[in-house]
Amino acid sequence: MTHQFPALSEAQKRELHETALRIVSPGKGILAADESVGSMAKRLAQVGVENTEENRRQFRQILFSADDRINSCIGGVIFFHETLYQHSDNGVPFVKMIRDRGILVGVKVDKGVVPLAGTCGETTTQGLDGLAERCAQYKKDGAVFAKWRCVLKISDSNPSKLAITENANVLARCSSICQQNGIVPVIEPEILPDGDHDLKRCQYVTEKVLAAVYKAMSDHHVYLEGSLLKPNMVTPGHSCPTKYSPEEVAMASVTAMRRTVPPAVPGICFLSGGQSEEEASVHLNAINNCPLAKPWVLTFSFGRALQASALRAWRGHKENEKTATEQFVKRAEVNSLACQGKYSGGDNYGEAGHRIFGSCHAY
Amino acid sequence: TMTHQYPALTAEQKKELQEIAQRIVAPGKGILAADESTGSMAKRLNPIGVENTEENRRRYRQLLFTADERIDSCIGGVIFFHETLYQKSDDGVCFAKLIKDRGIVVGIKVDKGVVPLAGTNGETTTQGLDGLSERCAQYKKDGADFAKWRCVLKISETTPSQLAILENANVLARYASICQQNGIVPIVEPEILPDGDHDLKRCQYVTEKVLAAVYKALSDHHVYLEGTLLKPNMVTPGHSCPTKFSSEEIAMATVTALRRTVPPAVTGVTFLSGGQSEEEASVNLNSINTCPLNKPWALTFSYGRALQASALNAWKGDLNKEKAGTEEFIKRAQANGLAALGKYKSSGRAGAAGQSLYVANHAY
């Protein structure tokens, strides 16, 4: 316990810390475009598009060919492995397109959830095997950060002590390995919004989960200044009869973070979960206006909440591409304002208010 | 089960605890640790030739507590030893009342000292949990609104061990939980002694591990962080470390360690002075407050010797030197009040603490 065997040199720490800071620069957040092939099936099915590699490429191209307006809103893009090696119509690698505009490239590195035997439907996440080698290769191929998602559920019996400690441990192992390879880990301990629990219960569980996560990070000697957190906002369950204002959601979220996330963590990039585009932006804005001391950046790492309108505008038709891209740019700009607490909200253009929810999903 | 909350405190209880904590560490204020046990007082009084009697201990604390209104803006709380809580001034006024009436929060040391952890290399835990709830309830009636509990850890080749870290973190969390149930704000003190020849980096590493364990235990025990205070050691090199470090380096190491482990919800961090001189303790606290990293908690003092050493020396038990003793205490109180705001200008003596390895804005 007593001697340090430094995991990282000063130069390695500086690189990781600077990368993390760049991703969450003021006004910027993350575009989570890392849907797996299986998850893309669900997205594309909803708009009547076949889930082919080409269609997946075309949709990501719609996002990545957005104009300079997104350069001040998007600090990083999370890629799925397949997408990292795809090109635009003009033969430009997607990675290069993104990097050349000063946006950092990230990659999803986990290999999905697997069951925890003996629990009530709980999971851990696999993907540690050969992770060091994979990270080293991704670094060569242009990635500077990675994302790993764990999933927890609230129910009468969940999350169990095992699920909490096991998922915290695997997040910490992932982080440690990433940092050894110059990759900033974005750790995602997602507590699903499924259920009828109220806001308070979600806050309680979030606090317990995050306390375990940061204890594991400490035990595994992870350099917090070179990491980012991607948590759920604290919200009531989807079937909760009580409605809460954005301010209540914000207060609960910020309080939970204040009780568990050390100030050394440069940024907290909330996931959007089942929230609609507008809901997610309004909540993020309220979070940034919450009158409690918030020593980390509080921004977004949104998937659906940045892409839903774009997807619906596209519907797989080439002639809709520009319109679709425009929808994405608009959400990027809105969230850029929201992460500075400057979004005045209620801009119900397009499909932004449409509720997005797929029950008990795992992607 | 992990999933349901059985709220430990009502909203009113939480509000009261948080407000007490905030009052203690209001801007420019810190804590006078006047809770030396009878045994510790012997070590203070013998060197100045004063007999360690109950009356002498009473007279000495009176010297501190009768300081004029100049301390009202620097002292947010006073920690009492049990005996002192029930002593009175020459005028027959209870010390607790004297302090409370001037708007300073009354605190009480509630632990019962260290005991050995068998099978370790000289490590300890701290006892005092038995009947603690009843004692807290009584102290609250008698005017106390906060308490202090000290655990001790040591740095050596083999320590602190995993057991020492976990056991001390656990007992601090139990204590904190019980205090809050009785309307008492717990000050949690996991002191890592400065004994040894380890360097600054090593102390920082150990401090980070200890504090991570402390806050995990506090979470496990459902402690309301906003209604607590932390009393840690500053991160310093060991006493026999050959390398000297500047106060900026000490500040950077200390603030970095805290940033990596102490959740922002904790209302304040009130440093112990350990073996530091009065001036050193003020200069280091000042550097901590001017450290250019985001520091979301109050960073102030909870000093014993670093507030009292000169007072004791000026007094030496002499009836005619009481005012002089009080004046020395007031001076240190004001110095530390400024240091807690990052506005203290040293009188010069502490500059000895190192020119050799100053590295600007460097964190380990």
Side-chain angles (χ1 to χ4, degrees):
Chain A
M1 269 288 159
T2 170
H3 277 282
Q4 184 176 18
F5 303 98
L8 300 163
S9 67
E10 292 311 314
Q12 285 175 304
K13 283 182 177 178
R14 185 168 29 244
E15 184 195 41
L16 289 165
H17 184 46
E18 283 173 0
T19 298
L21 288 174
R22 281 174 59 205
I23 295 170
V24 299
S25 303
K28 297 188 185 182
I30 297 173
L31 163 62
D34 61 317
E35 294 85 355
S36 63
V37 173
S39 288
M40 278 310 287
K42 291 185 231 163
R43 305 279 170 273
L44 298 176
Q46 281 168 349
V47 292
V49 176
E50 201 189 342
N51 187 25
T52 63
E53 191 180 337
E54 175 59 12
N55 283 341
R56 293 192 294 274
R57 187 192 70 81
Q58 280 191 26
F59 181 63
R60 268 63 180 262
Q61 180 171 252
I62 283 169
L63 302 174
F64 300 161
S65 52
D67 60 42
D68 288 347
R69 281 174 291 166
I70 68 159
N71 294 357
S72 55
C73 316
I74 303 293
V77 174
I78 316 177
F79 282 70
F80 178 63
H81 177 93
E82 169 190 82
T83 320
L84 205 66
Y85 302 104
Q86 289 180 325
H87 306 73
S88 68
D89 291 344
N90 300 334
V92 182
F94 282 156
V95 169
K96 186 178 189 330
M97 275 174 82
I98 291 298
R99 283 181 78 184
D100 282 355
R101 52 207 307 189
I103 300 174
L104 298 186
V105 169
V107 59
K108 182 232 291 290
V109 295
D110 69 77
K111 297 194 167 191
V113 299
V114 291
L116 279 173
T119 66
C120 182
E122 294 181 294
T123 62
T124 181
T125 298
Q126 62 182 4
L128 293 179
D129 297 352
L131 181 58
E133 290 75 15
R134 293 175 59 220
C135 282
Q137 187 61 50
Y138 285 138
K139 187 86 195 270
K140 286 199 191 121
D141 296 339
V144 293
F145 74 98
K147 188 213 87 180
W148 177 293
R149 177 173 177 261
C150 280
V151 181
L152 294 134
K153 292 183 250 260
I154 296 178
S155 75
D156 261 318
S157 50
N158 296 342
S160 66
K161 175 155 225 226
L162 172 64
I164 293 178
T165 34
E166 165 57 25
N167 282 286
N169 191 64
V170 81
L171 282 166
R173 279 294 298 132
C174 158
S175 300
S176 169
I177 293 169
C178 282
Q179 292 192 331
Q180 288 300 297
N181 291 281
I183 297 269
V184 169
V186 175
I187 55 169
E188 180 179 354
E190 174 170 12
I191 299 160
L192 294 180
D194 303 55
D196 61 2
H197 54 273
D198 63 9
L199 189 65
K200 211 185 287 199
R201 182 108 173 273
C202 178
Q203 184 183 327
Y204 175 75
V205 172
T206 302
E207 290 173 9
K208 292 304 183 193
V209 167
L210 292 179
V213 166
Y214 282 98
K215 181 57 165 67
M217 297 286 268
S218 169
D219 292 344
H220 286 261
H221 316 300
V222 178
Y223 175 57
L224 294 186
E225 291 89 334
S227 72
L228 293 169
L229 178 68
K230 177 167 171 168
N232 49 284
M233 294 182 190
V234 173
T235 61
H238 270 294
S239 346
C240 178
T242 316
K243 295 298 157 216
Y244 297 86
S245 66
E247 289 69 31
E248 288 174 295
V249 167
M251 182 59 74
S253 300
V254 173
T255 299
M257 302 299 125
R258 279 170 52 80
R259 289 176 179 170
T260 55
V261 184
V265 174
I268 297 176
C269 317
F270 291 98
L271 60 95
S272 44
Q275 299 180 52
S276 72
E277 289 172 326
E278 188 64 8
E279 231 181 325
S281 302
V282 167
H283 283 155
L284 180 62
N285 188 64
I287 279 169
N288 275 280
N289 284 304
C290 177
L292 297 175
K294 308 178 292 290
W296 347 254
V297 169
L298 291 160
T299 184
F300 57 92
S301 176
F302 290 168
R304 284 170 288 177
L306 275 169
Q307 303 174 53
S309 291
L311 205 53
R312 272 192 287 271
W314 177 50
R315 302 198 87 81
H317 300 307
K318 201 148 193 73
E319 60 273 20
N320 294 341
E321 279 175 1
K322 277 204 166 7
T323 315
T325 302
E326 196 58 28
Q327 290 294 312
F328 163 59
V329 172
K330 285 213 183 117
R331 288 327 299 178
E333 289 182 317
V334 162
N335 286 307
S336 174
L337 290 171
C339 78
Q340 300 175 83
K342 295 178 181 172
Y343 178 51
S344 44
D347 266 51
N348 252 333
Y349 58 82
E351 310 275 328
H354 190 91
R355 200 87 189 287
I356 313 166
F357 177 39
S359 76
C360 221
H361 76 279
Y363 57 84
Chain B
T1 167
M2 270 290 159
T3 172
H4 279 281
Q5 183 176 19
Y6 302 98
L9 300 163
T10 64
E12 287 76 30
Q13 286 175 305
K14 287 180 175 179
K15 183 161 183 284
E16 188 199 7
L17 290 166
Q18 183 172 26
E19 282 171 358
I20 291 168
Q22 286 170 335
R23 279 173 53 210
I24 295 168
V25 298
K29 296 189 183 181
I31 297 172
L32 162 63
D35 62 318
E36 294 85 355
S37 63
T38 308
S40 289
M41 278 311 286
K43 293 188 233 164
R44 304 280 169 270
L45 298 177
N46 292 343
I48 54 166
V50 176
E51 203 189 341
N52 187 23
T53 63
E54 192 180 337
E55 175 60 10
N56 282 342
R57 293 192 293 273
R58 186 194 70 83
R59 283 178 56 215
Y60 173 61
R61 266 61 181 263
Q62 179 173 255
L63 182 160
L64 302 172
F65 300 160
T66 51
D68 62 41
E69 68 281 349
R70 280 176 289 166
I71 68 160
D72 293 349
S73 56
C74 335
I75 302 294
V78 174
I79 317 177
F80 283 70
F81 178 61
H82 178 92
E83 171 191 81
T84 320
L85 199 67
Y86 302 102
Q87 287 179 325
K88 304 178 149 85
S89 68
D90 291 344
D91 301 333
V93 182
C94 231
F95 281 156
K97 185 182 187 331
L98 204 64
I99 290 297
K100 200 163 179 165
D101 282 353
R102 53 197 306 185
I104 301 174
V105 187
V106 170
I108 174 79
K109 181 229 295 288
V110 297
D111 70 76
K112 297 194 169 189
V114 299
V115 291
L117 278 173
T120 68
N121 187 8
E123 295 181 291
T124 61
T125 181
T126 297
Q127 60 182 6
L129 292 179
D130 298 352
L132 180 58
S133 188
E134 290 74 14
R135 293 175 60 219
C136 281
Q138 187 61 51
Y139 285 136
K140 181 84 179 183
K141 285 197 188 119
D142 298 338
D145 286 310
F146 75 97
K148 187 212 88 176
W149 177 294
R150 177 174 177 260
C151 280
V152 181
L153 294 135
K154 293 185 251 263
I155 297 179
S156 76
E157 275 306 302
T158 53
T159 61
S161 66
Q162 161 117 279
L163 172 65
I165 292 179
L166 288 171
E167 165 57 27
N168 282 286
N170 190 64
V171 80
L172 282 166
R174 277 295 299 132
Y175 141 77
S177 168
I178 293 169
C179 281
Q180 291 193 330
Q181 289 299 297
N182 291 282
I184 297 266
V185 167
I187 297 189
V188 166
E189 180 178 353
E191 174 170 11
I192 300 160
L193 295 178
D195 305 31
D197 61 3
H198 53 274
D199 63 8
L200 188 65
K201 209 186 289 199
R202 181 106 176 273
C203 180
Q204 183 183 327
Y205 175 74
V206 173
T207 302
E208 288 173 10
K209 292 304 184 193
V210 167
L211 291 179
V214 166
Y215 282 96
K216 181 59 165 64
L218 289 176
S219 169
D220 291 344
H221 287 260
H222 315 301
V223 176
Y224 174 60
L225 295 187
E226 292 87 333
T228 66
L229 296 170
L230 177 70
K231 178 166 172 169
N233 49 282
M234 293 182 189
V235 172
T236 63
H239 274 160
S240 348
C241 178
T243 316
K244 294 299 159 216
F245 296 87
S246 66
S247 77
E248 286 78 15
E249 289 174 293
I250 284 170
M252 180 61 73
T254 302
V255 173
T256 299
L258 297 175
R259 277 169 52 79
R260 289 175 178 171
T261 54
V262 183
V266 174
T267 297
V269 176
T270 59
F271 293 99
L272 59 94
S273 46
Q276 297 180 49
S277 69
E278 288 172 328
E279 189 64 9
E280 234 183 320
S282 301
V283 167
N284 285 338
L285 180 62
N286 191 67
S287 294
I288 282 168
N289 276 283
T290 56
C291 176
L293 296 176
N294 191 318
K295 311 177 291 290
W297 347 255
L299 289 162
T300 184
F301 58 94
S302 174
Y303 290 168
R305 283 169 286 178
L307 275 168
Q308 302 176 52
S310 293
L312 275 163
N313 261 330
W315 175 53
K316 288 184 144 52
D318 188 339
L319 209 61
N320 300 325
K321 298 281 175 60
E322 279 176 3
K323 277 200 167 8
T326 304
E327 200 56 33
E328 291 297 324
F329 163 59
I330 294 173
K331 273 198 217 149
R332 291 326 303 176
Q334 291 177 316
N336 287 307
L338 289 171
L341 295 169
K343 296 181 178 169
Y344 178 57
K345 302 255 182 286
S346 166
S347 54
R349 266 178 47 220
Q355 291 106 347
S356 50
L357 286 173
Y358 173 66
V359 177
N361 284 358
H362 174 86
Y364 293 112

